[in-house]
Amino acid sequence: MADPLVTALLIVLVPAVALNLWLTQRLSSRLRHAMTAEPALTCAIDATVPEFSGRRLVDGTPVADAALAGQANVLVFLSTACGDCRRKLPVLEELLEPMERHGVQLWLLSQEPPARLRRFIQRDALRARVVRLDRRAYQRLNPRYAAPLYLFVDDQQVVRAGDFIGDENWRAFVDQILAAPSMREAS
């Protein structure tokens, strides 16, 4: 004969344990799914660039996504811990003058500490294009923190392409920017 107190406890505990197991299984399943789903490489292509604001490395002046309006832009994400990024710096510096001639603005975006960025980017011409973003803004633009990554943003602030520097779109852009006459020469 079972004690009435034990019976009452079993009546309460058995459903509670069953509910707990069911909730734990559902949570585990959702976490497993979330962990295996990779975020996109960049912000959405053919969408307006996400809002962001940051500060220029050289003088701390504010820069926001509105600075992209009215001109073509190339946003480049570099990491000071990335050897490939270091090798891209001379290439980016070589592209500065042709890009400016064609009305394309280069922005180097980072969330790393200023001192580290200054050691990494030695040339003043490139340093002048570095904008430090907070973590959230950086993540909206580059969800996987990939590097060396680029985004092509048009004059309407729409992201037109994005991937790793050196892909087919990047090579086509470099070929065009180096070979085509400037907007001033064409007129």
Side-chain angles (χ1 to χ4, degrees), residues 21-67:
L21 288 171
W22 181 77
L23 290 172
T24 300
Q25 185 276 331
R26 284 191 49 124
L27 179 61
S28 176
S29 173
R30 287 182 185 219
L31 285 174
R32 218 177 5 262
H33 175 71
M35 300 285 280
T36 58
E38 283 193 33
L41 183 62
T42 67
C43 55
I45 305 300
D46 293 330
T48 302
V49 72
E51 290 183 9
F52 70 85
S53 64
R55 297 203 171 268
R56 287 183 182 267
L57 177 66
V58 292
D59 60 9
T61 58
V63 174
D65 53 289

Side-chain angles (χ1 to χ4, degrees), residues 14 64 88 98 114 118 147 170 176:
V14 168
K88 300 298 183 198
R118 286 186 190 96
W170 178 264
Q176 289 173 20

Side-chain angles (χ1 to χ4, degrees), residues 1-184:
M1 183 178 260
D3 183 3
L5 183 59
V6 172
T7 302
L9 282 173
L10 286 174
I11 289 172
V12 171
L13 288 177
V14 168
V17 169
L19 177 63
N20 187 335
L21 288 171
W22 181 77
L23 290 172
T24 300
Q25 185 276 331
R26 284 191 49 124
L27 179 61
S28 176
S29 173
R30 287 182 185 219
L31 285 174
R32 218 177 5 262
H33 175 71
M35 300 285 280
T36 58
E38 283 193 33
L41 183 62
T42 67
C43 55
I45 305 300
D46 293 330
T48 302
V49 72
E51 290 183 9
F52 70 85
S53 64
R55 297 203 171 268
R56 287 183 182 267
L57 177 66
V58 292
D59 60 9
T61 58
V63 174
D65 53 289
L68 306 180
Q71 63 187 359
N73 299 272
V74 179
L75 310 182
V76 174
F77 301 86
L78 300 173
S79 168
T80 60
C82 166
D84 198 26
C85 296
R86 185 173 302 282
R87 289 186 291 279
K88 300 298 183 198
L89 291 175
V91 173
L92 293 170
E93 189 171 19
E94 180 185 330
L95 291 172
L96 276 175
E97 193 271 326
M99 287 173 71
E100 286 177 1
R101 244 191 2 250
H102 291 285
V104 178
Q105 184 68 40
L106 174 68
W107 301 93
L108 304 177
L109 304 179
S110 180
Q111 63 170 2
E112 296 188 48
R116 188 181 307 160
L117 288 168
R118 286 186 190 96
R119 283 191 305 272
F120 182 69
I121 300 174
Q122 305 273 316
R123 308 287 221 165
D124 289 340
L126 286 179
R127 275 189 187 171
R129 275 119 180 121
V130 176
V131 175
R132 291 190 62 250
L133 304 175
D134 68 30
R135 185 185 57 78
R136 286 189 190 122
Y138 190 90
Q139 188 175 36
R140 280 193 302 273
L141 294 164
N142 183 0
R144 289 185 19 203
Y145 296 87
L149 185 81
Y150 72 89
L151 292 175
F152 292 148
V153 179
D154 70 13
D155 62 342
Q156 300 297 309
Q157 295 179 274
V158 175
V159 178
R160 294 301 178 188
D163 208 331
F164 289 102
I165 290 178
D167 79 335
E168 182 178 335
N169 288 328
W170 178 264
R171 290 190 312 271
F173 167 74
V174 170
D175 290 347
Q176 289 173 20
I177 210 81
L178 293 177
S182 73
M183 294 181 336
R184 287 185 288 255

